[in-house]
Amino acid sequence: MAEATVPEAFAADTQSQQLSSTQRTEALSAAAAGAYDGTDGSDTENAAAFLKERFEVELEFVQCLANPWYVNIIAQQGYFDKPEFINYLKYLMYWRRPEYARFVVYPHALAFLDLLQNKSFRDEIKKIDEATRLTVLQQNHWRWPNYREEGDAAENEHTEAPLPR
């Protein structure tokens, strides 16, 4: 089975990154503080390039979470057992804020990001059956927006469209 890609911060070979972690930290610090002397502009360009790359990488990763099979694969690879990865998922919750959520094309990604905050969900998604169930639910939601799983009688009573049989 092919190995799923995760953000560079969690790649096995951290030496191959374009900027070292020290350079990234300095670029972020400089960008946040606005501490540029303006002599050659390289600090500003490096910081801007890093921030743009970081935004794109994090957005791409968050959007990948909309795919139950991707979440299943990274769960099976043990990423959800690493405390630093769990902290990264907590950090990514800022994507739920409207000023960032407007860039997310796949809204299910934000729902899965919420679900991944729960250890019980992280444990369950390792199972093929759970990934299959979530894929079916997701596809049914796309087909019938008011679709609910059987057994959700309380919610089904309030839907506008009849449930598919």
Side-chain angles (χ1 to χ4, degrees):
M1 179 178 290
E3 191 167 310
T5 58
V6 294
E8 284 182 3
F10 300 98
D13 183 14
T14 56
Q15 298 295 336
S16 65
Q17 296 179 5
Q18 278 188 336
L19 298 173
S20 70
S21 61
T22 304
Q23 289 171 321
R24 287 176 184 257
T25 302
E26 290 171 359
L28 279 175
S29 298
Y36 302 116
D37 58 10
T39 54
D40 65 357
S42 64
D43 285 345
T44 304
E45 291 171 15
N46 288 341
F50 168 69
L51 292 174
K52 181 178 185 278
E53 177 187 352
R54 180 177 174 178
F55 177 85
E56 291 170 352
V57 167
E58 289 178 358
L59 175 60
E60 182 176 353
F61 177 69
V62 167
Q63 293 195 114
C64 286
L65 297 178
N67 182 339
W69 292 110
Y70 176 77
V71 177
N72 172 263
I73 289 171
I74 62 175
Q76 289 179 359
Q77 291 176 359
Y79 283 96
F80 297 151
D81 299 328
K82 299 177 182 179
E84 57 273 3
F85 194 78
I86 302 307
N87 287 339
Y88 183 65
L89 291 173
K90 289 177 185 172
Y91 158 76
L92 290 174
M93 290 297 288
Y94 76 87
W95 283 99
R96 297 201 44 81
R97 297 196 323 238
E99 62 268 26
Y100 294 98
R102 68 189 180 108
F103 295 103
V104 176
V105 176
Y106 309 107
H108 282 181
L110 298 176
F112 278 103
L113 184 59
D114 275 345
L115 290 169
L116 287 169
Q117 304 304 312
N118 301 316
K119 181 167 178 25
S120 60
F121 178 77
R122 292 191 303 265
D123 292 339
E124 284 296 309
I125 194 62
K126 290 179 184 178
K127 301 173 186 170
I128 298 290
D129 291 341
E130 183 64 10
T132 302
R133 185 183 77 82
L134 290 173
T135 301
V136 168
L137 283 174
Q138 191 176 52
Q139 291 170 349
N140 287 340
H141 177 74
W142 293 334
R143 289 183 200 137
W144 306 287
N146 294 320
Y147 177 82
R148 301 282 188 264
E149 265 188 303
E150 287 185 35
D152 276 346
E155 291 186 29
N156 287 340
E157 293 174 6
H158 302 291
T159 60
E160 297 169 11
L163 292 177
R165 297 277 179 225

